Amino acid sequence: MRQKLIVIGAGMASGRVIEHLVEQDPDAYDITLFNAEPRGNYNRIMLSPVLSGEKTYSDIVTHDDTWYAEHAVTCRFGEHIADIDRVAKTVTSENGDVLGYDKLLFGTGSNPFMIPLPGHDLDGVIAYRDLEDTERMMAMGPEKKVVVIGGGLLGLEAAAGMAARGADVTVVHIMGHLMERQLDEAAGYLLRKALTEKGITVKCSANSKEILGENGHVTGLSLDDGTVLPCDLLVMAVGIRPNVALAQASGIAVGRGIHVDDQMITSDADVLAVGECVEHNGAVFGLVAPLYDQAKVAAQTLQGQTASFVQKELSTKLKVTGCDLFSAGDFADGEGREDIVFRDPARGVYRRLVIENNVVIGAVMYGDTADSNWFFGLIRDKTDIADMRDTLIFGPAFQGGTPLDPLAAVAALPRDAEICGCNGICKGQIEDAISAGATDLGAIRAVTKASGSCGTCTGLVEQVLAHSLGDEFVIPAAQPMCGCTDLTHEDVRRMIKSQRLTTMAAVWQECAWKTTCGCHVCRPALNFYLLADWPLEYQDDPQSRFVNERKHANIQKDGTFSVVPRMWGGITTPDELRAIADAADKFGVPTVKVTGGQRIDLLGVRGEDLPDIWRDLNAAGMVSGHAYSKGLRTVKTCVGTDHCRFGTQDSTGLGIKLEKELWGSWTPHKLKLAVSGCPRNCAEATCKDIGVVCVDSGYQISIGGAAGMDVRETELLVQVATEEETINVVKAVTQAYRENAKYLDRIYKWMNKVGLDWIKSRVVDDLNERAALVARFELSQSIYRKDPWAEHVARQSDTYRPLANLSLEAAE
Amino acid sequence: MSNWIDIAALQDIPQRGARMVKTAHGCVAVFRTGEDEIYALDNACPHKAGPLAEGIVHGKAVTCPLHNWVISLETGLAQGADEGQVATHPARVEGGRILLDITCLRAKAVA
């Protein structure tokens, strides 16, 4: 005799259960299918192509009316279930019908999670879940503004679909990079770049604060940094929650989802559940592959057969045209895990494999996912990759061969193979230049321009030289920045400028970094290069700074810090001195010392006391002296015409002015200035990075001095007539140094490389260039000329204290 | 027997950053990598006891701020030519919270 099966929810998982049943044993059950949506089963994951216009709804219907009729499935679409009586084994529909069952199957799916922001109930605020939502989005005309909250799989598909329809789309994502659950930072960067090229605005690390509305309809979204994004439609795609309400109301065990065992049976032996509504071994499900596995098991259970659901590795692909990405397995760092990273900046390709015990356990791929199935197979089958480890990252095509000799590879290139992409130079042109007498890299650059732009092909050009000239050419060992890259500092700076790289992830990708996130050598340098070149676009990264610049104090050998308040031009007051003395007493400062730069150094301050001592010094009107920074340190002065009988100008006043203009600026290395009031030079200006010596007729500005490991006298840059011109020349030379020098080169080292004449030609002779440098310096200072102490006291003093104190706990 | 206790939220430590936890047997540095993994190590470099919590975190390693020794967060071993090891402690993340095994810290305090 046929049993009665009632199915609640016509989704992809329950639909697959019904398919298995009617195929395998059509006489086992009379099936009644309830669905709250007024339609049957369609392929929900294909809503994105419907939204973008690549498919229509009828293309994605899985079961139409004919199918249900053919298989004698009684459909009750658009009807909710009001009640379940598990003792009597009946369900009550919303119109009062009572139907008996032998077996009940939950396929209630999931609900979109709506963030309870103020204004979330306004008209025009929707989720992206079903056909109704999709139709709402499709009804938006072109030129309309749409904000999508959520930079995960669903949010990005919604954004791309609407952008394809001509809407002006902004994605707001709370995390630092897109799809952070599936992708690492590098792949997230490439994805963001591709979406930006499609005209989508992407805002990461953005916290939504309030949804704005007028007359009950959404008008915009405000972020907690004050930005307001106007919009006509707001889509929330921040995640899903299993829909357990009905199961819970019927007394079935639920956690995050409806609890099921390996046979897909709930806490009631006659009730099963499949799909996004279930929780199995602590996991809930959102991707389709495991749902189909569940459906197969549930169908067998319903037929009295033994089957078990086993969770498997999952992979993800994004269904956005033109964004090829793939992620599978576990790609978090972890004990005993190693990364293999491959980047091809020219093709926008990124691949990363995570290896543990000679087995691939995770993979992230962007740009070229052709081999993704092969890698997914390695993960799933736990293949031992020890033998192919060296070439693994290149994919299946490269397995079994011998490792390539780079010179042999270059030798094998045809004459028309392009070597320098920037200038379109082929191997043949370089060979011709070599035959014509260009026998080193500089000559090749001069003759052909090859490797003269972005510089990434430098190695290749050198290999062509080596191959053509044999032993006569020795490839020079260019000093790479660090072990993370083969590029030099100069190469990387050129790339940052020419390719407009404005984030660290962008540099790592476009310059083919070999590590996932750099090291202690390259990160501080990159952080400086990025903030110097893109002061408005780039966000300073404290985690890429040495502790001194992160905590705005100098770490000492015992882990305590030294604190130096700024004394403009070396001038102080009795009140300031009293405040310093009080602070030294209050915080038990063991050593108070006068520095060479005319400041007072409080040595031995405990890290956790830093915000408190700064608060006191701030209250007395003092700010950070930046005695720890690769940036402007001090402007040392003599007393000049104020008191000195030899003084020719107001050296103290000029020193204070210079310090007030330059303070807070970051430079490749420390930057020390001095202003002396006469050639007797009591401020020792001629051994500073930039020195000004006052004379009767004006101001002599000289640069490139040092009094450290190297002792150097400055060289004269120019003599000018006014204080104003002095200040402008100093700013211009500082900016030229910021824009061009290698990180950790003092001015004298930079000057040795580029030559004093090159600097003169820009900041002395070319007045337009000088003005442009000053303008760029001022732009940067509009961000960085501020007191870090005040900000840290106000906003992050907690971070200076221990995260927790367990000393009592542990002693119990 | 392990005894995991809740120390703080994951967000209380910046990515590629560290914070210090005081315990009876000394300070422990708790690190968060760029991939949101958590590691706990004694906050003292094997070289000259530099505070590792103040170092730059990169990959699964931290560079001591005093003399640039690079210490593996997984094993506590000094990398490269340097030799030495710092004690590691069980740590994990669950539901966005950082957990440390207090039993382990207590055992060290007694020993």
Side-chain angles (χ1 to χ4, degrees), chain A residues 284-300:
Chain A
V284 295
F285 305 87
L287 299 172
V288 74
L291 305 193
Y292 283 167
D293 288 345
Q294 292 174 2
K296 200 170 168 185
V297 171
Q300 285 177 287

Side-chain angles (χ1 to χ4, degrees), chain A residues 566-572 576 599 621-624 635 637 652 655-656 659-661 663:
Chain A
R566 195 168 283 285
M567 290 176 177
W568 308 97
I571 295 291
T572 185
E576 283 185 354
R599 307 294 142 98
M622 280 174 282
V623 299
S624 171
V635 182
T637 66
T652 319
I656 292 172
E659 192 161 344
K660 294 216 163 175
E661 293 287 343
W663 78 293

Side-chain angles (χ1 to χ4, degrees), chain A residues 458-509:
Chain A
T458 303
L460 217 45
V461 174
E462 285 171 347
Q463 284 165 12
V464 175
L465 277 161
H467 169 64
S468 304
L469 297 172
D471 292 340
E472 291 170 45
F473 181 80
V474 178
I475 294 183
Q479 196 58 254
M481 217 165 151
C482 63
C484 302
T485 177
D486 296 327
L487 299 184
T488 63
H489 280 266
E490 290 75 13
D491 292 336
V492 172
R493 284 215 87 164
R494 235 185 342 260
M495 285 290 283
I496 289 172
K497 288 181 174 67
S498 65
Q499 308 291 306
R500 278 200 71 88
L501 307 180
T502 59
T503 64
M504 206 136 346
V507 177
W508 294 335
Q509 172 60 29

Side-chain angles (χ1 to χ4, degrees), chain A residues 454-709:
Chain A
C454 81
T456 46
C457 63
T458 303
L460 217 45
V461 174
E462 285 171 347
Q463 284 165 12
V464 175
L465 277 161
H467 169 64
S468 304
L469 297 172
D471 292 340
E472 291 170 45
F473 181 80
V474 178
I475 294 183
Q479 196 58 254
M481 217 165 151
C482 63
C484 302
T485 177
D486 296 327
L487 299 184
T488 63
H489 280 266
E490 290 75 13
D491 292 336
V492 172
R493 284 215 87 164
R494 235 185 342 260
M495 285 290 283
I496 289 172
K497 288 181 174 67
S498 65
Q499 308 291 306
R500 278 200 71 88
L501 307 180
T502 59
T503 64
M504 206 136 346
V507 177
W508 294 335
Q509 172 60 29
E510 303 296 341
C511 299
W513 239 243
K514 290 181 274 187
T515 51
T516 56
C517 63
C519 69
H520 68 274
V521 178
C522 59
R523 285 237 305 279
L526 292 180
N527 190 56
F528 168 73
Y529 293 152
L530 286 163
L531 71 82
D533 285 338
W534 311 111
L536 301 184
E537 293 88 345
Y538 179 70
Q539 182 83 39
D540 182 34
D541 175 24
Q543 299 316 125
S544 293
R545 287 186 176 276
F546 185 61
V547 55
N548 290 357
E549 295 185 352
R550 200 181 324 127
K551 294 208 157 173
H552 297 283
N554 255 327
I555 196 161
Q556 306 296 317
K557 67 171 196 177
D558 60 355
T560 64
F561 290 85
S562 82
V563 167
V564 181
R566 195 168 283 285
M567 290 176 177
W568 308 97
I571 295 291
T572 185
T573 64
D575 281 344
E576 283 185 354
L577 292 172
R578 264 188 287 272
I580 290 171
D582 288 345
D585 278 344
K586 180 169 166 186
F587 296 97
V589 171
T591 307
V592 180
K593 184 175 186 316
V594 175
T595 73
Q598 301 181 333
R599 307 294 142 98
I600 291 177
D601 195 351
L602 305 173
L603 291 131
V605 180
R606 297 186 317 151
E608 46 195 291
D609 285 340
L610 287 171
D612 296 323
I613 195 167
W614 292 339
R615 187 180 291 111
D616 287 3
L617 294 169
N618 267 170
M622 280 174 282
V623 299
S624 171
H626 291 94
Y628 45 80
S629 75
K630 309 281 180 261
L632 180 84
R633 294 282 182 92
T634 53
V635 182
K636 187 173 180 176
T637 66
C638 66
V639 291
T641 46
D642 276 352
H643 300 277
C644 178
R645 63 202 162 102
F646 299 114
T648 61
Q649 310 280 357
D650 177 14
S651 52
T652 319
L654 177 58
I656 292 172
K657 280 180 198 160
L658 279 169
E659 192 161 344
K660 294 216 163 175
E661 293 287 343
L662 265 55
W663 78 293
S665 62
W666 300 101
T667 46
H669 206 304
K670 59 187 170 186
L671 184 67
K672 293 180 171 180
L673 272 66
V675 184
S676 286
C678 79
R680 286 170 189 76
N681 193 14
C682 295
E684 296 157 349
T686 51
C687 63
K688 295 290 181 274
D689 296 284
I690 304 176
V692 179
V693 175
C694 303
V695 291
D696 262 340
S697 53
Y699 306 84
Q700 292 176 342
I701 305 169
S702 60
I703 63 172
M709 260 197 293

